[in-house]
Amino acid sequence: MGVTVVRRKAQRRWAMVGVAVAVLCALPSVIAAIPATPSALGVNQLRQRIVASTAQPFSGYAQSSAALGLPTLPDLADVTGLLSGTTDMRAWYAAPNSHRVDVITGFGERDYYQTPKAEYVWDYGANLLSELIGTAPIRLPQGEDLLPPELAWRILQVDPTDAVSGLPARRIAGVDAAGLRLRPTDPDTRIGQVDIWADPATGLPLRVEVTQRGATSPVLRTAFLDFTPGPPASATLTPPSGANSGFTVATVPDLLGALGNVSRFTRLPDELAGYPRAPQVPGLPQIARYGSGLTSFVVLALPTDVGASALTSAKQAGGTEVKISFGDAELIQVPLLTVLVENRGRRSYLIAGLVDSAVVSNAAVDLATFRGRFR
């Protein structure tokens, strides 16, 4: 009898532990399910407040989930991981020139510090602090680019003309967030809609969802799970230093370095596929952007060996052949993004953008008849 009573007490005790664990695990869902109080802000007022919130300080824990399906590429594994998986991030933001983002993965942690004087990267596993010098013509994407505020700011700034509509308020990280939906009107973009929820008091975006045209669920989500408005502690913005840690100086990683630089072409067309060329990237005549906002694509003139290798990879990945004169071209589509590699012997190009395959294919056809010149 006594043993049975003890056993029952033990079972009840462990049952209570199990209930407590279940409650703790369910807390984020329970909090999110609390009805949110609608904001009195108009949708255009909310948009303006979001765009003007770049100086608002905050700290928090965010998680992004991307399903772009990009293959792992040499020297670009970190980038493809960001855009084809789940990324956990802690962030402390005091100002545009003073912030920190910790990117946490199953393999370790890498912390990015931006100070008024320099940029640093702390590799926790290697116990190494790197100071980054120089300016990248085209910086590789980083974890901070997927934080809800950063992603929302970029989207609303690159596409300031498309109208927005309101969304129901949503409880996010303990905040009654007001929502808006941007739906691009240009049929050539592959983005169907962008949903943003923000703190109505500060305009800081707390959740962003990007949905491909014709799809019913987002292919890119990023949201705060924990969020605190206001300045973070200054100590969190100071890169670590110590006698037992390593230190090095490195150049800012950029796309051109990862691709093995660009070709010797010094000119690209003023128009492709009916889209005018955007202002030239200073010092980089081998790179051009066409169109504007969310309906734009870029063209890179590649070295011959890089172009040939990329074309082979595109074919092996199941690309679709695009007929062009005097050369080969392969097109690959993943959610949101269309990529084409064109190789014409001494001339190779990479075309990529958030546009429909017809736009990229027409650009490839135009490029096949264009005569660039060498340095």
Side-chain angles (χ1 to χ4, degrees):
M1 178 74 69
V3 173
T4 303
V5 171
V6 170
R7 184 180 295 114
R8 286 176 179 172
K9 288 182 178 179
Q11 289 175 343
R12 285 197 295 269
R13 182 169 64 249
W14 286 111
M16 291 302 297
V17 171
V19 170
V21 171
V23 170
L24 287 173
C25 292
L27 269 179
S29 301
V30 172
I31 293 173
I34 297 174
T37 303
S39 170
L41 280 180
V43 65
N44 288 318
Q45 288 178 302
L46 177 61
R47 180 178 191 161
Q48 294 170 4
R49 191 162 291 187
I50 292 173
V51 172
S53 68
T54 55
Q56 292 287 340
F58 66 88
S59 57
Y61 180 88
Q63 185 178 80
S64 72
S65 176
L68 271 64
L70 298 177
T72 300
L73 302 173
D75 299 321
L76 290 174
D78 289 345
V79 175
T80 54
L82 286 174
L83 301 177
S84 300
T86 299
T87 303
D88 292 295
M89 297 163 285
R90 289 192 298 260
W92 297 265
Y93 186 94
N97 66 346
S98 180
H99 53 83
R100 167 187 169 188
V101 178
D102 296 356
V103 178
I104 307 159
T105 68
F107 304 101
E109 177 177 324
R110 187 169 293 179
D111 305 344
Y112 297 83
Y113 292 81
Q114 178 65 62
T115 73
K117 294 182 178 180
E119 184 178 357
Y120 298 90
V121 177
W122 168 253
D123 190 319
Y124 183 84
N127 195 29
L128 179 66
L129 178 67
S130 300
E131 179 181 351
L132 302 182
I133 60 174
T135 302
I138 304 179
R139 180 178 66 80
L140 287 173
Q142 298 176 353
E144 67 181 79
D145 298 323
L146 292 179
L147 284 172
E150 186 67 29
L151 184 59
W153 293 335
R154 287 176 182 268
I155 290 175
L156 292 181
Q157 287 169 359
V158 301
D159 202 347
T161 57
D162 278 334
V164 293
S165 57
L167 290 173
R170 190 167 180 173
R171 188 79 172 173
I172 300 171
V175 178
D176 291 338
L180 62 80
R181 170 170 292 172
L182 183 148
R183 196 188 295 273
T185 56
D186 193 320
D188 286 337
T189 181
R190 297 190 67 195
I191 293 182
Q193 64 192 41
V194 180
D195 295 343
I196 301 172
W197 285 269
D199 180 356
T202 63
L204 276 168
L206 303 176
R207 184 180 183 95
V208 180
E209 297 181 351
V210 182
T211 303
Q212 180 176 307
R213 188 182 296 275
T216 57
S217 60
V219 295
L220 174 60
R221 295 184 178 93
T222 180
F224 281 109
L225 304 181
D226 180 74
F227 174 79
T228 303
S234 58
T236 62
L237 304 175
T238 303
S241 61
N244 296 324
S245 62
F247 178 80
T248 187
V249 176
T251 57
V252 175
D254 70 295
L255 178 62
L256 304 187
L259 290 175
N261 225 315
V262 290
S263 81
R264 296 181 293 118
F265 287 113
T266 60
R267 188 165 63 92
L268 285 168
D270 293 330
E271 181 179 297
L272 279 178
Y275 284 88
R277 180 173 176 165
Q280 177 65 50
V281 179
L284 293 174
Q286 307 96 326
I287 300 176
R289 181 171 66 87
Y290 296 85
S292 61
L294 298 177
T295 309
S296 63
F297 59 94
V298 295
V299 177
L300 283 73
L302 299 175
T304 304
D305 57 338
V306 175
S309 176
L311 184 68
T312 300
S313 298
K315 290 180 178 180
Q316 293 174 345
T320 301
E321 181 182 3
V322 174
K323 297 291 185 180
I324 61 172
S325 58
F326 311 113
D328 298 313
E330 291 285 328
L331 182 143
I332 296 177
Q333 279 193 307
V334 297
L336 299 183
L337 187 67
T338 303
V339 180
L340 182 142
V341 180
E342 178 178 332
N343 185 23
R344 298 170 52 221
R346 296 175 64 201
R347 300 176 185 176
S348 295
Y349 302 96
L350 174 70
I351 309 172
L354 305 170
V355 292
D356 188 76
S357 59
V359 174
V360 172
S361 298
N362 290 336
V365 172
D366 291 347
L367 273 175
T369 59
F370 175 72
R371 293 186 176 183
R373 68 173 183 271
F374 292 97
R375 283 180 183 170

